[in-house]
Amino acid sequence: MAISTADFKNGMCIEYNGKLCTIVEFQHVKPGKGGAFVRTKLRDIKTGRVIDNTFNAGVKVESVRLESKKLQYLYNDGADFNFMDNDTFEQTSIPSDVVGDAAMWLKENDEATLLYAGDELISIEPQMFVELEVTETDPGFKGDTVQGGSKPATLETGATVQVPMFVEPGDTLQIDTRDGRFIKRV
């Protein structure tokens, strides 16, 4: 469906130069001299790269309808990640290369949001906050906490995050999946 630049909204998905992009922000500009234009920041859905672009006012672009589905992550069989729709109990296998970095935050039985453009899977988003157990970390020494130091810790999914010195193996931590940041010990 073609839309005009006057219909732009933040978060809207459009097709630009053959790529699917979401509008991060936009601004209508009406200079004193010359025609009006729309200055935008577009995020490429596949790569995550942000592109600055300027459209002339009234230009038509293709709008893309995005659909999101909440699925439960079941297991990884080595080649594919398997998800299940909790309403229909239909199972879906997704290749590891499509899952990408989201695999670091997927724990069995957790929900994930799968984003589709038509029939094409665009991205997999784990929950914003996940609780994962520490499997390996260096011991913290008494007195190391004065400066608020941190150390690397390996989690049960294989992800490595920076944690405070007081964290021990076996602790369960809450992690922000957007940036891999330690939030708190649970």
Side-chain angles (χ1 to χ4, degrees):
M1 180 173 98
I3 60 167
S4 168
T5 55
D7 300 324
F8 279 4
K9 291 181 177 61
N10 288 341
M12 181 179 275
C13 185
I14 62 170
E15 189 173 328
Y16 173 70
N17 284 348
K19 297 179 183 176
L20 295 177
C21 299
T22 55
I23 299 172
V24 177
E25 67 181 56
F26 68 97
Q27 178 183 20
H28 290 280
V29 180
K30 297 177 189 169
K33 197 172 175 183
F37 59 91
V38 179
R39 190 176 293 138
T40 62
K41 286 189 183 213
L42 304 173
R43 174 174 282 121
D44 186 330
I45 290 178
K46 291 205 181 205
T47 64
R49 210 175 103 211
V50 176
I51 308 159
D52 290 323
N53 189 49
T54 303
F55 293 97
N56 289 329
V59 169
K60 301 272 187 195
V61 292
E62 280 298 313
S63 173
V64 179
R65 181 184 162 101
L66 294 179
E67 242 180 81
S68 65
K69 291 182 183 176
K70 279 201 178 286
L71 299 180
Q72 181 181 10
Y73 169 60
L74 297 176
Y75 61 93
N76 178 359
D77 63 12
D80 295 334
F81 284 76
N82 295 284
F83 294 85
M84 178 180 70
D85 187 328
N86 285 331
D87 298 329
T88 63
F89 302 107
E90 180 181 325
Q91 291 190 16
T92 306
S93 292
I94 299 171
S96 298
D97 59 326
V98 175
V99 175
D101 291 341
M104 294 188 309
W105 313 118
L106 290 174
K107 189 170 109 177
E108 291 180 0
N109 300 323
D110 279 355
E111 280 194 346
T113 304
L114 281 66
L115 194 61
Y116 289 92
D119 292 335
E120 182 184 357
L121 177 64
I122 302 293
S123 70
I124 297 172
E125 296 171 14
Q127 296 175 356
M128 193 177 298
F129 299 102
V130 292
E131 293 180 2
L132 299 171
E133 186 177 326
V134 176
T135 57
E136 185 181 325
T137 187
D138 296 330
F141 296 106
K142 191 172 179 96
D144 280 350
T145 59
V146 175
Q147 297 300 319
S150 63
K151 60 184 180 178
T154 304
L155 305 174
E156 62 185 292
T157 59
T160 302
V161 296
Q162 291 294 319
V163 297
M165 295 301 242
F166 60 81
V167 173
E168 302 287 330
D171 287 351
T172 301
L173 308 179
Q174 187 178 52
I175 306 293
D176 185 339
T177 61
R178 295 170 294 184
D179 55 8
R181 208 168 27 99
F182 164 83
I183 303 297
K184 66 181 180 180
R185 184 166 54 176
V186 182

